[in-house]
Amino acid sequence: MKLNFELVPESCWYSNLRSILSPAQWDVVRKEAYARAGGSCMICGAKTSRLEAHERWEYDEENKVQKLSDVVAVCRACHEVIHIGRTQLMGNEERAAAHFIKVNGCTYAEYRKALGEANSAHIRRNKISEWSLDLTYLKKFT
């Protein structure tokens, strides 16, 4: 799937790059992603004048490491899908489901299956109470 859900373990909530970096440092990181995107969403390809920076994380459950793998520029619709939990709380799941289905060229049943798999991974990762943070990705900005 081109577009997926990225459910962050609850113990990692609110520990994003904007809370770790200074505003000036975050600007450098996000603007680099916007430049790579060239005015289009890096997931669905939609042209947009308003891109949002999204942090991509990988989880090594065995070693309990949350690793920053990329910062990408995405459109609002893709960002709503990625953060489906928040989107559901805001009452916008139907819109996000339609976008997921369109971008991935899949059925509603495949949407539900992918959501179930993401939720299973989320539940499993929530059993880890403390994650080590790997920000090696940021070395390219120094």
Side-chain angles (χ1 to χ4, degrees), residues 118-135:
N119 281 322
S120 291
H122 183 64
I123 289 166
R124 192 179 61 248
R125 290 175 182 153
N126 278 338
K127 292 177 182 172
I128 298 170
S129 60
E130 193 170 331
W131 293 84
S132 296
L133 203 54
D134 179 344
L135 298 175

Side-chain angles (χ1 to χ4, degrees), residues 2-53:
K2 213 168 149 179
L3 174 59
N4 270 305
F5 312 105
E6 297 179 27
L7 304 179
V8 175
E10 291 175 21
S11 62
C12 301
W13 287 2
Y14 310 112
S15 62
N16 56 41
L17 288 185
R18 282 165 290 198
S19 66
I20 297 168
L21 301 177
S22 71
Q25 291 169 318
W26 171 241
D27 274 350
V28 170
V29 173
R30 73 181 178 85
K31 286 178 181 176
E32 187 272 340
Y34 298 157
R36 281 187 289 133
S40 296
C41 176
M42 294 174 84
I43 296 175
C44 73
K47 287 276 187 198
T48 180
S49 61
R50 187 178 184 278
L51 290 167
E52 300 177 2

Side-chain angles (χ1 to χ4, degrees), residues 10-141:
E10 291 175 21
S11 62
C12 301
W13 287 2
Y14 310 112
S15 62
N16 56 41
L17 288 185
R18 282 165 290 198
S19 66
I20 297 168
L21 301 177
S22 71
Q25 291 169 318
W26 171 241
D27 274 350
V28 170
V29 173
R30 73 181 178 85
K31 286 178 181 176
E32 187 272 340
Y34 298 157
R36 281 187 289 133
S40 296
C41 176
M42 294 174 84
I43 296 175
C44 73
K47 287 276 187 198
T48 180
S49 61
R50 187 178 184 278
L51 290 167
E52 300 177 2
H54 171 68
E55 303 157 24
R56 284 245 163 104
W57 298 94
E58 296 173 356
Y59 298 92
D60 176 346
E61 295 173 44
E62 186 177 324
N63 295 305
K64 303 175 185 178
V65 176
Q66 177 190 22
K67 180 180 180 178
L68 180 65
S69 62
D70 200 1
V71 175
V72 294
V74 297
C75 66
R76 180 176 179 229
C78 282
H79 218 181
E80 283 186 336
V81 171
I82 291 166
H83 294 295
I84 194 66
R86 181 181 186 282
T87 300
Q88 290 168 327
L89 290 172
M90 302 297 289
N92 296 322
E93 183 180 9
E94 191 174 312
R95 180 173 66 207
H99 189 69
F100 180 95
I101 290 165
K102 176 184 165 193
V103 171
N104 290 314
C106 67
T107 65
Y108 182 75
E110 290 168 314
Y111 163 81
R112 296 300 306 170
K113 181 179 181 219
L115 184 55
E117 290 169 356
N119 281 322
S120 291
H122 183 64
I123 289 166
R124 192 179 61 248
R125 290 175 182 153
N126 278 338
K127 292 177 182 172
I128 298 170
S129 60
E130 193 170 331
W131 293 84
S132 296
L133 203 54
D134 179 344
L135 298 175
T136 308
Y137 173 83
L138 296 175
K139 286 186 178 180
K140 72 182 198 172
F141 296 98

